[in-house]
Amino acid sequence: MTTVGGSNPAGDKTEAQKCANPLEECTLEQLRQRRSMKWRTHPADVLPLWVAEMDVPLAPAVADALRDAIERGDTGYPSGTEFAESLAGFASRRWNWDGVDVDRVGLVPDVMMGAVQVLRLITDPGDPVIVNSPVYAPFYAFITHDDRRIIEAPLGQDLRINPDTLEETFRRARAANGKGKIAYLLSNPHNPTGTVHTFEELAAVAELAHRYGIRVVADEIHAPLVLPGAQFTPYLSVPGAENAFSLMSATKGWNLAGIKAALVIAGSAAADDLRRMPEEVNHGASYLGVIAHTAAFRHGDRWLDALLAGLDANRALLGRLIAEHLPGIGYTRPEGTYLAWLDCRSLGLDPEGTRDLAVVTDLAGPAQLFLEHARVALSSGHIFGTGGAGHVRLNFATSQSILTEAIVRMGRAAALHTR
């Protein structure tokens, strides 16, 4: 496999070209010239489908905004409320939600650092933070490094929030903590499973959180990436979520991980907490990041729609490829994100590996097999906490030729292992 998708020539693009499938615009050779983590962690013969970066060119609206800022030398400190206003407009257009009040929005360096800062506002060192495992591995690292305790409320077998499990976890946490502070860090949509929580599920979460006196912090970084068949519900839009927080950015929707900026949104009853956030926190956001994210939310809809169509096609292709080449692997069709959660326990490998959840590059079981024998890099399931062992997370935000080649290779490796 040498060429992936079409070429990406320099120069101006027509409107039709701007709305082409972004996942098919970069060749493999062009991607291998990138210096980001995805493409530099492993040798060149490895197809990297692990870390959450997409194989896309920059959206034209974002590139134009950054180019204009650089040409004007506009590279100072962030100012004003344009970023928050752009998110408010996007939320209204895409989710029919008018709950982003710029007076209750704060600028933070990125979503995870913002989550840490919010948890510092509403909990103290030693307090518990509840998560739904398996969940985004940095939740474990960031929370424990900030001297909070993780309590897991595992997802159900259907990879959805189990209300009975969540209530029992809330009840035990409250019984053990008396009148102390407890937080619940929610992934919405859920990483790594691609589950998109429904309005009813989130309303049940809010009711339980209110009943047990638990503050909810929703990581909604994947909110723009909800695929056909599902609908994103902002957590702050459900009844009872008034004292909660949401964290959003354009990072995942427009592939801006290296251009950092994010927003924390306080519910109407959490505004006073947000005002206690130290002023220096917003200095960590990049001004170019603010420019890029603002442009994405204001002018990136058509590009995002083209991306979502490409991701939907890749999701369908992935299902077909797994059925053909990896028939023993469990695959639950993701509703959002560009992440697929694959159950590889049928391969009979040791799933555990290193249990240090703060080290997100550890490999174990199937991820190690596929890296060593298929030359495909995936995220090892055990780093996502309880329920992750024996699984892998696959990033399908790439071209169909790369995705096809990767699954074919994985199928060969699995077949050789199970002979």
Side-chain angles (χ1 to χ4, degrees):
M1 180 180 62
T2 57
T3 302
V4 178
S7 63
N8 184 22
D12 293 336
K13 297 184 178 181
T14 66
E15 283 302 308
Q17 286 174 317
K18 288 181 180 180
C19 292
N21 181 356
L23 296 165
E24 299 294 338
E25 290 193 61
C26 299
T27 67
L28 181 58
E29 287 74 14
Q30 288 170 330
L31 292 169
R32 283 177 172 156
Q33 293 172 17
R34 294 186 172 184
R35 298 183 179 183
S36 65
M37 181 186 292
K38 180 176 184 180
W39 287 94
R40 288 302 171 105
T41 297
H42 299 285
D45 65 325
V46 172
L47 295 178
L49 305 185
W50 63 294
V51 73
E53 297 179 24
M54 294 191 290
D55 295 340
V56 294
L58 202 57
V62 176
D64 290 345
L66 290 171
R67 189 179 299 112
D68 180 64
I70 290 169
E71 288 175 352
R72 288 185 285 104
D74 189 10
T75 54
Y77 295 108
S79 176
T81 60
E82 286 188 325
F83 186 8
E85 292 164 6
S86 72
L87 174 58
F90 182 84
S92 181
R93 292 192 309 275
R94 307 291 290 206
W95 308 321
N96 196 30
W97 181 51
D98 295 320
V100 180
D101 182 341
V102 297
D103 292 330
R104 292 188 276 108
V105 175
L107 180 64
V108 291
D110 58 34
V111 164
M112 273 313 305
M113 290 304 300
V116 169
Q117 293 296 332
V118 171
L119 289 171
R120 288 178 180 175
L121 295 176
I122 60 175
T123 64
D124 296 319
D127 284 338
V129 178
I130 295 163
V131 301
N132 297 122
S133 60
V135 73
Y136 182 49
F139 277 16
Y140 294 90
F142 279 71
I143 291 170
T144 55
H145 290 168
D146 207 47
D147 198 23
R148 271 68 177 170
R149 295 184 292 112
I150 291 280
I151 297 178
E152 294 180 322
L155 297 173
Q157 291 298 314
D158 58 358
L159 304 182
R160 309 199 73 86
I161 296 172
N162 184 316
D164 294 333
T165 299
L166 189 63
E167 179 170 14
E168 175 60 18
T169 305
F170 282 6
R171 186 195 64 76
R172 286 190 288 105
R174 176 52 64 205
N177 221 49
K179 295 183 178 181
K181 299 172 183 176
I182 304 172
Y184 170 39
L185 184 55
L186 171 71
S187 181
N188 178 41
H190 195 87
N191 176 1
T193 63
T195 304
V196 176
H197 309 306
T198 66
F199 178 91
E200 291 75 17
E201 288 170 332
L202 295 176
V205 166
E207 192 279 326
L208 288 172
H210 176 74
R211 188 190 312 172
Y212 289 94
I214 292 171
R215 303 291 294 276
V216 179
V217 181
D219 172 352
E220 298 184 321
I221 196 170
H222 286 278
L225 295 173
V226 171
L227 301 177
Q231 181 176 347
F232 174 69
T233 299
Y235 181 73
L236 293 181
S237 72
V238 303
E242 292 80 11
N243 72 340
F245 294 86
S246 167
L247 291 133
M248 293 187 178
S249 78
T251 296
K252 298 307 178 189
W254 288 267
N255 208 43
L256 303 178
I259 315 176
K260 288 186 177 292
L263 295 170
V264 54
I265 310 161
S268 58
D272 288 343
D273 290 316
L274 183 60
R275 293 188 190 100
R276 293 188 290 106
M277 184 172 286
E279 181 183 355
E280 61 268 20
V281 171
N282 66 31
H283 293 307
S286 161
Y287 179 39
L288 290 178
V290 170
I291 290 171
H293 290 242
T294 300
F297 281 135
R298 275 192 173 159
H299 306 299
D301 289 56
R302 292 184 65 194
W303 186 91
L304 178 64
D305 288 338
L307 171 69
L308 292 172
L311 290 175
D312 187 29
N314 280 13
R315 175 176 62 171
L317 174 63
L318 179 60
R320 297 193 299 270
L321 290 169
I322 289 173
E324 179 179 357
H325 299 282
L326 291 164
I329 300 302
Y331 167 64
T332 300
R333 184 173 179 264
E335 299 172 312
T337 78
Y338 45 76
L339 306 169
W341 187 238
L342 307 183
D343 184 347
C344 304
R345 288 175 290 181
S346 63
L347 295 176
L349 294 160
D350 175 12
E352 292 299 326
T354 303
R355 294 297 297 171
D356 182 358
L357 295 171
V359 182
V360 298
T361 56
D362 282 351
L363 291 179
Q368 189 168 2
L369 171 75
F370 292 132
L371 179 60
E372 293 179 356
H373 298 285
R375 308 307 286 160
V376 176
L378 307 169
S379 296
S380 189
H382 76 286
I383 66 172
F384 297 91
T386 299
H391 295 70
V392 295
R393 190 190 74 173
L394 181 149
N395 174 353
F396 59 89
T398 189
S399 69
Q400 294 205 348
S401 59
I402 288 179
L403 184 60
T404 300
E405 175 70 12
I407 301 301
V408 169
R409 290 186 189 184
M410 290 166 61
R412 292 193 195 112
L416 287 172
H417 171 74
T418 54
R419 276 183 183 174

